[in-house]
Amino acid sequence: MTLFKQLSLLATFLLISIFIIVLGVNIKNSTDSVQAQLYADAKNTATSLSLSLASANGNISMMSTMINANFDNGSYQNITLVDMQGELLYERHSDNKIIEVPKWFINAIKIKSPIASANVSAGWNPIGILNVQSDSSEAYKQLYTVLCSLSISFSITFIISLILLYLLLAILLKPLKNIRSQAEAIINNKFIIQENLPHTKDFREVVKAMNTMVKKVEEIFNKANEALSKQAELLYIDEETGLYNRKYLTNKLPEYLKIDARVPSGICIMIALNGVVEANKVIGRQKVDKLYQDIALMLKRQAKDFEDSLIIRMNGTEFFILLPRCSEEDGLALAGYMEHGSDILISKELDRTVTYLSFGVYEYRHTQSVGQVLSASDYALSQAKLFTDKNHVYLHKTQSDKEIMGKEEWRKILDFAIEHNTVHFDTYKVLDSKEKALLHNVLSISIVSHDAHKCSYGRFIAPAITLGLDIEIYKKALTKIFKEPDVELKNSTYSLRLSSQYLDDPLSFTQLKNLCSKYSKTLPLKLIIELPDKILRNNSESLQSYKELFDLYNIQIGVFEFIGESSDYTYLKEWRPSYIKAECDYFLTLSAQDLSSLQVATNSIGVDLIATGVMDLETLQKLQEIDIYKVQGRATELI
């Protein structure tokens, strides 16, 4: 119960108590006053009537007439005349009168009408004793009228008091609402600073304390963010040329080689500077370093026209270029053009036959592993180095590993799945290996073909992207989750990855918004939407719409494909994801300082770190040694 309700109930109880006490005192005083008045009236009547009866000189007939006259003109319950021996001479009493007062009131208020007596005599001779008792019905009416008047006045006062009390409490406790909102935000790892301090001293001190705590947490995050930004430069940037280094390539390359890569193939060019020792002797180390910088500038200039291209300095003498959407012909032409440009750079002060660049060209495909691509590129470069003539470019070809089925056959399977809604899900566990607890399940989309064969995500997604049907598959999957979830999905937490292609499609947002508005209240599972780190860092306007949608319908956000390449991690504080997923190799290759800074930053905003691709218990143990306990991969089946 809120403090406002507690204070309201307490104040209501006090007002009601005061009302009951005051009303009781007033009724008691009024009752006593009425009884006293009844006795006074009876006494006055008895005195005056006894004097009148004395004039009758003991004539009972005359005295009865006088008694009747007084009884009929007054409000009496009983008038009796008895002689000195106590024998009744005359009596007059009232019949049962209908009193316009509720019975419960009569039962609750007991009024005793007192009897007043007076001696009746004729001269010096006593005749008898006159007893007069007033009627209490009028007294009940009077008291009931008093009760009604008090009740009405107190009710009006009570209502006005409650209204004033409500307004007063609303004003006094308004800062408490802000404090509560701030506390709830902290629970949700959202840190809000209250600029307007309340006037109430106690509340003001609480707000100051909470503001101080929030500032300290933000300071922890900002310091960790600053450390991570500096470490990212040291971790991924070659200081001499400003290019990315080999570590960046090994962490970034999986993004290009995943099963649902936006671009299925491209060209890798491995480049090496030969004759470095001789060049150092001829022009000196500083000029050779300047030559490396000129080569890096040339590579940047040549690769700028290729979207999402990578330029890497692998080591002291080797460079690597990855060009998505580049064909073999264009790759060879570009390598030849760069070789010509390098001749111009080198021949200014060096012997072109001794110092030169070699270019190994290789066409990669997204179905290959990182090791396969790097090995093939190394082989192409080693072959290029063998050339002793002017042309130092070598193209390495490998056997095609393209899907046996053609586009039309895949189109038939995908069209059938979309038309007949044969989209299903495979699930994989994400565990806390320390607590042996299930964190959530990962949903992986699968489809069933027209011949009842099941196709996994890794098998159908590449042709789906090529045919432009991947977005429709995602839409069908989301519709199934919201509209007709499988029985086994109920009462648990599940995550679903959304590709950058889906997020970039303007119609996707409208579809997801409609699904949320119609089915989110009846959704029998807790849903986490995973977004690529690269998309999240861009923080586009369209992505902000997704954020507002997820916040509105209490859908959590997860991040995947994280490699720590950002120079600023404040986007994590803005998005507040539940967790970050990165390949286990990324965590294992981080230095202790880098990992510590990352953990401090994420812990300060309540973001978990989850290692993916954990395939064996040996890798799991290594992760546990660096305090990474939340894992996804084949090893979860062995825990």
Side-chain angles (χ1 to χ4, degrees):
M1 187 182 294
T2 62
L3 180 60
F4 179 84
K5 290 182 179 179
Q6 291 178 352
L7 291 177
S8 298
L9 289 175
L10 178 61
T12 303
F13 174 76
L14 290 175
L15 287 174
I16 292 175
S17 300
I18 293 172
F19 169 74
I20 292 173
I21 293 172
V22 172
L23 185 63
V25 170
N26 274 273
I27 292 297
K28 185 178 184 305
N29 291 337
S30 298
T31 302
D32 294 342
S33 176
V34 166
Q35 289 196 156
Q37 185 64 39
L38 287 174
Y39 179 76
D41 291 343
K43 186 66 177 176
N44 291 334
T45 300
T47 301
S48 61
L49 182 58
S50 66
L51 294 175
S52 299
L53 293 178
S55 63
N57 293 319
N59 188 327
I60 299 300
S61 177
M62 291 181 62
M63 286 191 291
S64 62
T65 301
M66 293 178 184
I67 290 172
N68 288 337
N70 273 273
F71 190 89
D72 292 337
N73 291 321
S75 178
Y76 304 101
Q77 185 172 338
N78 193 20
I79 299 178
T80 60
L81 178 63
V82 296
D83 59 16
M84 299 307 295
Q85 287 74 36
E87 294 293 332
L88 180 66
L89 298 177
Y90 187 77
E91 180 183 15
R92 183 72 185 272
H93 65 272
S94 64
D95 298 328
N96 294 330
K97 294 182 179 180
I98 299 175
I99 305 176
E100 297 177 358
V101 174
K103 191 173 181 179
W104 64 264
F105 183 76
I106 296 175
N107 294 331
I109 305 296
K110 299 297 182 180
I111 298 177
K112 296 180 180 179
S113 182
I115 298 174
S117 300
N119 292 322
V120 179
S121 61
W124 294 104
N125 297 318
I127 298 175
I129 299 174
L130 180 68
N131 297 316
V132 179
Q133 185 179 21
S134 297
D135 188 5
S136 61
S137 61
E138 291 299 326
Y140 276 111
K141 288 182 182 179
Q142 183 179 351
L143 284 177
Y144 186 70
T145 302
V146 170
L147 176 65
C148 292
S149 299
L150 287 174
S151 299
I152 292 172
S153 60
F154 270 99
S155 297
I156 294 173
T157 305
F158 178 72
I159 293 171
I160 294 174
S161 299
L162 281 183
I163 294 173
L164 293 176
L165 177 66
Y166 178 86
L167 295 175
L168 180 62
L169 288 177
I171 294 172
L172 292 177
L173 298 181
K174 184 178 179 181
L176 190 60
K177 290 184 178 180
N178 296 332
I179 294 173
R180 181 180 177 183
S181 299
Q182 189 180 26
E184 290 175 348
I186 292 173
I187 293 173
N188 296 320
N189 299 305
K190 297 178 181 179
F191 303 105
I192 301 172
I193 299 293
Q194 285 199 50
E195 300 295 341
N196 298 323
L197 297 179
H199 298 292
T200 306
K201 183 179 179 181
D202 295 337
F203 289 159
R204 184 168 65 250
E205 295 302 322
V206 172
V207 171
K208 285 182 178 179
M210 294 181 70
N211 282 346
T212 301
M213 181 183 68
V214 169
K215 288 177 181 178
K216 286 183 178 179
V217 173
E218 282 193 323
E219 185 178 351
I220 291 172
F221 175 83
N222 291 333
K223 286 183 177 179
N225 181 33
E226 184 179 350
L228 285 172
S229 300
K230 294 178 179 178
Q231 291 165 11
E233 295 180 4
L234 299 174
L235 183 66
Y236 286 141
I237 302 299
D238 176 65
E239 185 177 357
E240 186 175 2
T241 62
L243 299 177
Y244 288 116
N245 57 23
R246 185 185 183 95
K247 186 176 184 64
Y248 179 80
L249 177 65
T250 56
N251 287 329
K252 186 71 173 177
L253 200 51
E255 182 181 323
Y256 295 82
L257 304 179
K258 58 185 179 178
I259 54 178
D260 57 350
R262 186 192 295 256
V263 182
S265 63
I267 290 294
C268 297
I269 304 177
M270 188 78 84
I271 307 162
L273 179 62
N274 303 282
V276 176
V277 175
E278 292 79 2
N280 280 325
K281 292 179 180 179
V282 174
I283 61 176
R285 183 176 180 82
Q286 288 186 345
K287 287 191 175 181
V288 172
D289 290 342
K290 178 63 170 59
L291 178 60
Y292 282 130
Q293 295 171 6
D294 292 339
I295 292 172
L297 184 62
M298 178 191 70
L299 298 181
K300 287 181 181 179
R301 191 182 302 116
Q302 299 303 323
K304 68 178 182 180
D305 294 331
F306 293 88
E307 185 180 357
D308 296 327
S309 60
L310 286 181
I311 306 170
I312 307 293
R313 188 178 186 184
M314 301 291 285
N315 52 48
T317 61
E318 294 182 353
F319 297 85
F320 181 91
I321 300 179
L322 185 140
L323 305 171
R325 296 190 181 89
C326 183
S327 62
E328 285 186 357
E329 293 78 10
D330 292 339
L332 282 173
L334 183 62
Y337 188 79
M338 287 190 292
E339 183 190 29
H340 177 70
S342 66
D343 287 344
I344 299 174
L345 289 176
I346 294 172
S347 60
K348 292 179 180 179
E349 298 182 87
L350 296 170
D351 185 354
R352 172 66 182 82
T353 61
V354 177
T355 305
Y356 56 89
L357 291 180
S358 298
F359 298 84
V361 182
Y362 174 70
E363 183 182 16
Y364 75 89
R365 285 177 290 277
H366 70 108
T367 55
Q368 296 174 293
S369 67
V370 173
Q372 288 174 326
V373 172
L374 294 180
S375 296
S377 300
D378 278 332
Y379 177 79
L381 179 61
S382 65
Q383 294 301 310
K385 289 180 177 180
L386 296 177
F387 292 169
T388 56
D389 57 3
K390 186 176 181 180
N391 184 12
H392 300 286
V393 178
Y394 177 80
L395 173 64
H396 174 50
K397 289 180 174 287
T398 58
Q399 288 186 344
S400 174
D401 60 352
K402 292 183 179 178
E403 188 67 58
I404 296 175
M405 288 192 296
K407 286 185 178 181
E408 292 307 315
E409 195 168 354
W410 269 117
R411 186 185 295 277
K412 184 178 179 181
I413 293 174
L414 293 167
D415 285 341
F416 177 85
I418 294 171
E419 183 179 352
H420 295 84
N421 195 22
T422 62
V423 174
H424 300 284
F425 298 102
D426 299 321
T427 59
Y428 304 95
K429 297 178 181 178
V430 177
L431 297 180
D432 185 334
S433 61
K434 185 177 183 179
E435 302 294 335
K436 304 294 190 296
L438 176 67
L439 298 177
H440 65 267
N441 292 288
V442 177
L443 293 176
S444 178
I445 304 172
S446 61
I447 61 174
V448 177
S449 64
H450 56 282
D451 56 359
H453 281 86
K454 184 178 180 180
C455 298
S456 65
Y457 183 80
R459 190 167 172 227
F460 75 79
I461 193 61
I465 293 173
T466 303
L467 295 170
L469 297 175
D470 55 310
I471 295 176
E472 289 302 318
I473 295 292
Y474 274 107
K475 289 181 179 179
K476 287 292 182 181
L478 285 165
T479 300
K480 189 175 186 65
I481 291 175
F482 279 92
K483 195 173 182 180
E484 45 187 25
D486 294 336
V487 176
E488 58 268 20
L489 300 184
K490 294 183 178 180
N491 303 319
S492 193
T493 303
Y494 293 86
S495 68
L496 179 69
R497 290 186 175 185
L498 294 183
S499 67
S500 55
Q501 296 95 305
Y502 175 88
L503 296 169
D504 289 341
D505 181 54
L507 298 179
S508 298
F509 176 78
T510 303
Q511 184 240 7
L512 184 55
K513 182 179 180 181
N514 292 335
L515 288 174
C516 289
S517 62
K518 290 182 180 179
Y519 304 107
S520 61
K521 290 184 180 180
T522 58
L523 192 64
L525 55 90
K526 188 174 182 180
L527 183 62
I528 304 174
I529 296 296
E530 294 186 1
L531 305 176
D533 180 63
K534 181 179 179 181
I535 297 293
L536 215 60
R537 282 188 283 111
N538 292 337
N539 204 13
S540 62
E541 185 176 345
S542 60
L543 205 62
Q544 279 295 324
S545 300
Y546 279 101
K547 183 179 186 301
E548 294 172 2
L549 179 67
F550 296 152
D551 289 342
L552 179 62
Y553 293 103
N554 197 28
I555 296 176
Q556 292 182 311
I557 298 171
V559 179
F560 68 98
E561 292 182 351
F562 181 84
I563 62 170
E565 61 179 306
S566 177
S567 59
D568 187 0
Y569 290 89
T570 53
Y571 72 94
L572 293 178
K573 188 168 64 172
E574 294 172 2
W575 277 85
R576 306 285 174 180
S578 297
Y579 56 78
I580 290 173
K581 287 184 178 180
E583 289 290 329
C584 58
D585 289 339
Y586 166 73
F587 292 119
L588 293 174
T589 56
L590 283 177
S591 67
Q593 184 179 2
D594 294 341
L595 181 60
S596 176
S597 297
L598 179 61
Q599 289 173 327
V600 169
T602 53
N603 288 339
S604 67
I605 55 176
V607 178
D608 292 330
L609 297 177
I610 299 177
T612 60
V614 184
M615 307 306 289
D616 51 59
L617 293 178
E618 182 182 354
T619 304
L620 176 60
Q621 184 177 357
K622 291 179 180 178
L623 289 167
Q624 291 175 335
E625 290 173 357
I626 58 174
D627 294 332
I628 301 293
Y629 295 100
K630 298 175 174 62
V631 295
Q632 174 183 330
R634 193 177 301 166
T636 58
E637 304 297 330
L638 306 174
I639 297 177

